[in-house]
């Protein structure tokens, strides 16, 4: 029964992150459909409501559901530096995956939020280009999925 719950948790985390990544890439495609005028580093474009909605959904899925679920189900404990050095290799791998999961979340979420906010209706002004922030944030959702599942699997293996 525990194995079945673990497999379902991994699939759920993976599915939410992959869905967030696809939504981020679709938001980028929707953003690129809008008319824009570009002059060197500056760009004037109309915001896309569809890109805004998809960006919010991607950021919510990545942060609120997938990351929180992965951290709640992982059963992590905080170690001192000495305990970390004496821990088993699978526990050390789990800790490394946990740190990389947080890094992927921080960078991916920041890119998704920046890309989403550039499509806010009140931001129909000219400014610096925000190219590919949504798609790169979507790709980092895929990276987050890999590290989250790896973290959960290694934490479960270390626990047993």
């Amino acid at each position: 029964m525990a194995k079945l719950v673990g497999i379902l948790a991994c699939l759920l985390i993976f599915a939410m992150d992959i869905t967030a990544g696809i939504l981020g890439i679709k938001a980028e495609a929707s953003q690129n459909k809008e008319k824009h005028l570009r002059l060197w580093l500056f760009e004037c474009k109309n915001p896309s409501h569809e890109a805004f909605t998809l960006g919010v959904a991607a950021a919510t899925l990545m942060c609120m559901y997938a990351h929180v679920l992965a951290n709640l189900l992982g059963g992590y404990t905080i170690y001192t530096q000495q305990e970390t050095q004496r821990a088993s290799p699978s526990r050390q791998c789990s800790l490394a995956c946990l740190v990389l999961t947080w890094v992927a979340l921080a960078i991916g979420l920041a890119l998704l939020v920046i890309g989403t906010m550039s499509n806010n209706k009140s931001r129909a002004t000219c400014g610096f280009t925000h190219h590919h922030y949504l798609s790169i944030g979507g790709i980092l959702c895929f990276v987050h999925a890999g590290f989250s599942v790896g973290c959960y699997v290694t934490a479960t293996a270390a626990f047993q």
Side-chain angles (χ1 to χ4, degrees):
M1 183 68 174
K3 280 187 178 184
L4 181 62
V5 171
I7 290 170
L8 288 176
C10 284
L11 287 176
L12 184 63
I13 294 166
F14 193 73
M16 284 190 288
D17 269 334
I18 296 300
T19 304
I22 291 170
L23 288 175
I25 292 171
K26 283 190 176 197
E28 180 77 31
S30 176
Q31 178 184 10
N32 289 338
K33 290 179 184 175
E34 293 296 322
K35 290 191 273 183
H36 65 279
L37 174 68
R38 185 174 175 188
L39 180 65
W40 294 311
L41 292 175
F42 297 101
E43 180 178 45
C44 298
K45 69 176 173 181
N46 295 330
S48 169
H49 181 69
E50 183 182 4
F52 178 78
T53 306
L54 291 171
V56 168
T60 303
L61 266 177
M62 181 184 184
C63 180
M64 298 300 268
Y65 298 114
H67 190 74
V68 169
L69 184 65
N71 283 313
L72 286 177
L73 293 177
Y76 308 109
T77 56
I78 298 174
Y79 296 113
T80 63
Q81 186 175 3
Q82 293 173 346
E83 290 174 332
T84 303
Q85 291 172 349
R86 288 184 284 141
S88 67
S90 58
R91 184 66 83 177
Q92 290 177 350
C93 184
S94 174
L95 187 61
C97 283
L98 178 65
V99 170
L100 292 172
T101 299
W102 278 96
V103 170
L105 173 78
I107 297 170
L109 187 62
L111 289 174
L112 285 172
V113 167
I114 291 170
T116 300
M117 291 309 295
S118 70
N119 284 298
N120 195 355
K121 288 261 186 221
S122 64
R123 292 206 151 189
T125 60
C126 299
F128 287 110
T129 59
H130 294 291
H131 283 289
H132 309 297
Y133 283 171
L134 289 168
S135 61
I136 294 171
I139 291 169
L140 282 172
C141 288
F142 299 142
V143 172
H144 184 265
F147 284 132
S148 293
V149 170
C151 189
Y152 182 76
V153 168
T154 54
T156 305
F159 182 71
Q160 294 175 357

